[in-house]
Amino acid sequence: CPKAEINRATKINTMHKKALLLSVLFNLILVAGIFFLIQKLGGFNYMLFKMKNRGVAGVYEHRKDLFTKLPVEEGKIVFLGNSITAQCEWGELLGRNDVLNRGIPGDMTIGILERLPAITQLKPSKIFLLIGVNDLISHPPDYILSNYKKILSRLQKDAPSTKVYIQSILPVNNSVRKTSVFNKDIHTINEGLQLLAKDFQLEYIDLHSFFKNEKGNLKIQHTNDGIHLNGAAYLAWKNVLEKHIK
């Protein structure tokens, strides 16, 4: 019946219009929600700045700039790395006044390379280096080890009298919180770091073994977020370092 076909076509057309309207309305609500969230987080310019600066917004650049303004004190012991290094009060932990913390949250191997001149001008007596876990979010182990080799070559050239200690990358625990980093990649990097230590005739400090559990994950009693360390972990780290510090 032509009339029934017309009614059916009209009903289908009406349904399509309603679906389209609902889709448009949903997308408008979604866009408005995203816009509101971005504004609450600081606005578009802030978000762009945050992405540009390794996701840590002004923290990285502010801390990096601070290090260039501090007095140049030669012959100190320098702890160099990312947030895992930055979040410890090394001087108090080790009971020494000749320790400088040059860790910056969010730092990567390329960041260490960029700020090495500010480190080598200090002519440190020792450098304890720990870097690489942040790189694994977006780079393979080979890239990290290549940058690490450049770091060591630069230190050897610009700070020949400095004793450099290569510290292994610590394990993560993705059962506590997903970190976008996997322990198999960390294991690969640590194997490479051991070879680099041998090539450059440097001391390799195996922190990984002290912090992993029977499954190879970061011990749950040492972390609240699966990657960063609590006070008990830093005390364990101190016990490993003491013979090297003395």
Side-chain angles (χ1 to χ4, degrees), residues 96-140:
R96 302 182 65 105
N97 58 11
D98 60 346
V99 175
L100 302 179
N101 189 338
R102 290 299 182 265
I104 302 183
D107 209 357
M108 303 183 190
T109 52
I110 190 67
I112 295 292
L113 268 171
E114 290 172 357
R115 60 191 183 95
L116 270 185
I119 303 300
T120 55
Q121 73 169 347
L122 299 172
K123 298 180 181 178
S125 59
K126 299 179 180 182
I127 292 177
F128 288 87
L129 179 61
L130 176 59
I131 195 68
V133 70
N134 290 326
D135 296 67
L136 282 172
I137 297 172
S138 53
H139 297 290

Side-chain angles (χ1 to χ4, degrees), residues 22-239:
L22 286 171
S23 177
V24 171
L25 184 61
F26 174 79
N27 284 308
L28 285 173
I29 293 172
L30 181 62
V31 170
I34 293 172
F35 182 81
F36 176 77
L37 181 62
I38 289 174
Q39 290 303 113
K40 290 290 286 184
L41 292 174
F44 285 99
N45 288 337
Y46 178 77
M47 294 299 290
L48 288 172
F49 181 78
K50 188 174 180 180
M51 288 187 285
K52 181 181 177 182
N53 289 284
R54 303 178 179 89
V56 290
V59 175
Y60 187 92
E61 292 302 326
H62 289 162
R63 193 162 171 82
K64 180 180 175 183
D65 182 64
L66 170 64
F67 292 153
T68 65
K69 303 297 190 294
L70 294 175
V72 175
E73 299 181 88
E74 296 183 2
K76 302 287 187 178
I77 298 171
V78 173
F79 281 79
L80 182 59
N82 50 39
S83 59
I84 296 173
T85 295
Q87 290 176 1
C88 182
E89 301 297 337
W90 292 104
E92 291 180 67
L93 182 72
L94 297 167
R96 302 182 65 105
N97 58 11
D98 60 346
V99 175
L100 302 179
N101 189 338
R102 290 299 182 265
I104 302 183
D107 209 357
M108 303 183 190
T109 52
I110 190 67
I112 295 292
L113 268 171
E114 290 172 357
R115 60 191 183 95
L116 270 185
I119 303 300
T120 55
Q121 73 169 347
L122 299 172
K123 298 180 181 178
S125 59
K126 299 179 180 182
I127 292 177
F128 288 87
L129 179 61
L130 176 59
I131 195 68
V133 70
N134 290 326
D135 296 67
L136 282 172
I137 297 172
S138 53
H139 297 290
D142 286 349
Y143 167 88
I144 298 163
L145 291 169
S146 174
N147 279 346
Y148 219 108
K149 186 174 182 178
K150 294 174 185 176
I151 292 168
L152 297 178
S153 296
R154 190 85 59 82
L155 286 173
Q156 194 175 62
K157 176 178 178 292
D158 298 339
S161 61
T162 299
K163 187 169 178 60
V164 179
Y165 295 85
I166 300 175
Q167 300 178 103
S168 65
I169 299 179
L170 306 181
V172 296
N173 193 320
N174 287 310
S175 65
V176 176
R177 190 197 70 177
K178 294 296 182 184
T179 65
S180 302
V181 175
F182 300 98
N183 283 316
K184 62 181 180 63
D185 292 326
I186 290 175
H187 181 71
T188 299
I189 292 174
N190 285 337
E191 285 185 333
L193 292 181
Q194 291 180 68
L195 293 176
L196 284 175
K198 186 176 180 180
D199 290 344
F200 283 85
Q201 297 183 329
L202 302 174
E203 192 157 355
Y204 174 80
I205 302 177
D206 180 16
L207 296 175
H208 189 275
S209 296
F210 286 90
F211 286 100
K212 71 176 182 177
N213 61 20
E214 65 282 355
K215 293 183 179 179
N217 297 318
L218 179 60
K219 292 177 181 177
I220 199 166
Q221 67 266 32
H222 282 161
T223 185
N224 295 323
D225 64 5
I227 187 168
H228 296 101
L229 304 179
N230 58 23
Y234 283 111
L235 287 175
W237 193 342
K238 172 191 174 183
N239 292 334

